[in-house]
Amino acid sequence: MLSKRTVCLALAGALMSGAAAFTPAQAAELKAEVIHWWTSGGESAAVKVFADQFTKAGGTWIDTAIAGGANARTAAINRVVGGKPPTAMQFNTGKQFDDLVAGDLLRDMDALAKAQNWDKIVPKPILDAVTRNGHVYAVPVNIHAQNWLWYNKAVLEKAGAKEPKTIDELFATLDKIKATGVIPLAFASQKTWERGLFNSLLAAQSRDLFVNVYTKRDVALVKSPEFRKVAEAFGKMRDYTDPSSKGRNWNDATALVITGKAGMQFMGDWAKGEFNAAGQTVGKEYGCVVVGPSYVMGGDVFAFAKIKDADQTAAQDVLAKTLLDPETQIKFNAKKGSVPVRTDIDVSTLDACAQTGAKLLSDPKAQAPAVELMTPATVTGAVEDVISQYWNNPSMPVDDFLNKFAAALKSDI
């Protein structure tokens, strides 16, 4: 948390830097320095769309790519606090920029949100995630669903299995794959992905249960039969992973599905880039499905520091507007593997997975915010620790897990 004095000094520095960092000639070119962490092949291709579209709008994109989300966010925040803010900076949808809002260091995007009718075209959970005290503080650019199930079509066909739509069907498919000798579930046993698997099953069980557990933090819900069923299913999943999953990277797990060494993998839609990079086509070599009724949404946003320089502010305005331009949204999300954050544009040119996602996104009953949008980071971390303990200790009784989970939900109180 930034101290009040630090914030005041930072704000003063930010205002001063805006006047000092750009000459009138440079500002007239609408130069925009953008800090982001999209450095992989697919990510670089996606962010190039933003750069090209901004150039097309009359701007000059200055790319500052920093590998690793945490590294990029820290660098951007330090630049703002230190009085040398970039024109724009990437965050995940959620609470990562709250300290900057509290310090009055970010511009609100209220005028743009009103002009583009965000309240009508942006899903409410995403709009809520960028709104603080009635003001919009970031521009959402995409929606990543976290609970996709990716599968190798040839593996399922050989096993005589079908694409699962429910938890019960999921186990039936896993059993058939296991009988063929192929790894049923490709898994990356790291805390983040252990939490991801658990939450995918929770969202598959019930959208309302998933949302209410994390928003209401009601112990009775954690002790309910529905939640116990999810806990038991999560524990049972260990039997379908391979011994080498411990510490594996998520993309290495995806590679197992791509090569047919494993049948399926739960992962966000960023995994699609791995299949595409391997020259595979959805519907031909691989498939995708959301198990259950929920579309668990996260995504990326860009925030804009307060800068006194009028030309820099103008560059921010043009860039912010460009990010949500319909043409930009389609081109960017086609490269990124995500779904446009606007629900009012034609997605028929996107692949089958993206079209499925867009259809789910259009149904408010299916919309489920990612956990990071519903709980403070401390609670998210505490829950993640409990889930990892349970996954890595098969002898832990389910009741112990439920008690620890309930305590973790209250860990910040």
Side-chain angles (χ1 to χ4, degrees):
M1 180 70 73
L2 304 175
S3 70
K4 185 176 181 180
R5 182 173 183 275
T6 301
V7 164
C8 292
L9 290 172
L11 177 56
L15 296 176
M16 291 173 63
S17 72
F22 295 90
T23 67
Q26 288 172 321
E29 297 175 13
L30 291 177
K31 286 187 176 181
E33 183 199 3
V34 183
I35 292 182
H36 63 87
W37 60 80
W38 287 326
T39 57
S40 73
E43 290 171 337
S44 296
V47 78
K48 187 175 182 301
V49 171
F50 284 154
D52 291 346
Q53 293 293 99
F54 183 59
T55 301
K56 186 177 174 183
T60 300
W61 177 281
I62 301 173
D63 197 80
T64 302
I66 300 174
N71 294 336
R73 289 191 295 273
T74 299
I77 291 171
N78 286 342
R79 286 274 302 274
V80 175
V81 173
K84 295 181 179 179
T87 313
M89 48 200 160
Q90 181 189 2
F91 291 94
N92 288 126
T93 309
K95 302 179 183 299
Q96 295 171 351
F97 52 86
D98 278 8
D99 283 349
L100 294 179
V101 174
D104 197 26
L105 294 171
L106 291 186
R107 287 185 61 190
D108 73 58
M109 294 287 113
D110 291 350
L112 179 64
K114 183 177 181 181
Q116 293 183 329
N117 298 314
W118 289 12
D119 60 333
K120 295 181 175 63
I121 65 172
V122 176
K124 187 176 184 302
I126 299 298
L127 186 56
D128 288 347
V130 295
T131 303
R132 306 289 184 276
N133 301 317
H135 299 286
V136 177
Y137 281 102
V139 178
V141 297
N142 62 355
I143 294 178
H144 275 301
Q146 301 180 350
N147 57 327
W148 283 99
L149 179 68
W150 306 91
Y151 59 89
N152 183 302
K153 286 180 65 72
V155 170
L156 262 64
E157 287 171 7
K158 183 179 179 181
K162 65 178 183 179
E163 178 184 275
K165 302 290 181 59
T166 66
I167 292 179
D168 289 341
E169 290 181 5
L170 172 64
F171 281 114
T173 298
L174 289 168
D175 284 334
K176 288 184 177 181
I177 297 173
K178 190 173 184 177
T180 68
V182 172
I183 301 169
L185 186 69
F187 191 54
S189 186
Q190 300 180 20
K191 279 188 178 181
T192 298
W193 310 123
E194 291 160 355
R195 174 167 64 94
L197 176 58
F198 178 83
N199 284 326
S200 292
L201 295 174
L202 182 57
Q205 176 67 23
S206 164
R207 184 265 181 197
D208 289 346
L209 181 65
F210 174 78
V211 172
N212 289 334
V213 160
Y214 287 112
T215 55
K216 296 180 179 179
R217 301 196 229 171
D218 185 345
V219 172
L221 291 174
V222 177
K223 302 296 179 64
S224 67
E226 276 189 303
F227 194 91
R228 172 179 285 275
K229 181 179 178 181
V230 174
E232 292 173 344
F234 179 59
K236 191 177 175 182
M237 282 287 173
R238 303 184 193 101
D239 298 336
Y240 300 98
T241 63
D242 65 302
S244 299
S245 63
K246 186 69 178 176
R248 178 184 286 146
N249 294 321
W250 71 265
N251 52 316
D252 292 328
T254 307
L256 293 175
V257 180
I258 291 172
T259 57
K261 295 177 181 176
M264 303 188 290
Q265 179 192 20
F266 277 101
M267 188 51 60
D269 49 20
W270 47 87
K272 187 166 54 179
E274 302 298 311
F275 288 94
N276 295 342
Q280 297 194 351
T281 304
V282 62
K284 186 177 179 182
E285 291 91 0
Y286 74 98
C288 59
V289 63
V290 173
V291 180
S294 314
Y295 194 68
V296 180
M297 302 180 294
D300 301 284
V301 305
F302 281 88
F304 300 85
K306 283 187 173 179
I307 300 178
K308 193 174 182 180
D309 182 272
D311 292 324
Q312 267 294 280
T313 301
Q316 290 179 329
D317 289 341
V318 173
L319 177 58
K321 183 179 179 182
T322 301
L323 295 174
L324 276 187
D325 174 80
E327 179 182 319
T328 306
Q329 280 283 292
I330 290 295
K331 288 183 174 179
F332 169 77
N333 285 286
K335 297 287 186 183
K336 190 66 171 60
S338 44
V339 173
V341 75
R342 298 182 61 142
T343 59
D344 64 333
I345 55 180
D346 181 6
V347 297
S348 60
T349 58
L350 299 180
D351 63 50
C353 298
Q355 291 188 43
T356 298
K359 185 177 180 180
L360 288 167
L361 193 61
S362 66
D363 180 5
K365 293 180 180 178
Q367 296 174 3
V371 173
E372 295 85 352
L373 277 60
M374 297 187 285
T375 62
T378 52
V379 173
T380 302
V383 168
E384 183 175 273
D385 287 344
V386 170
I387 291 171
S388 184
Q389 290 170 20
Y390 180 56
W391 176 264
N392 291 288
N393 182 9
S395 63
M396 180 188 289
V398 173
D399 285 332
D400 286 3
F401 170 64
L402 299 183
N403 290 332
K404 288 176 179 290
F405 196 103
L409 287 176
K410 305 283 188 179
S411 59
D412 67 331
I413 299 175

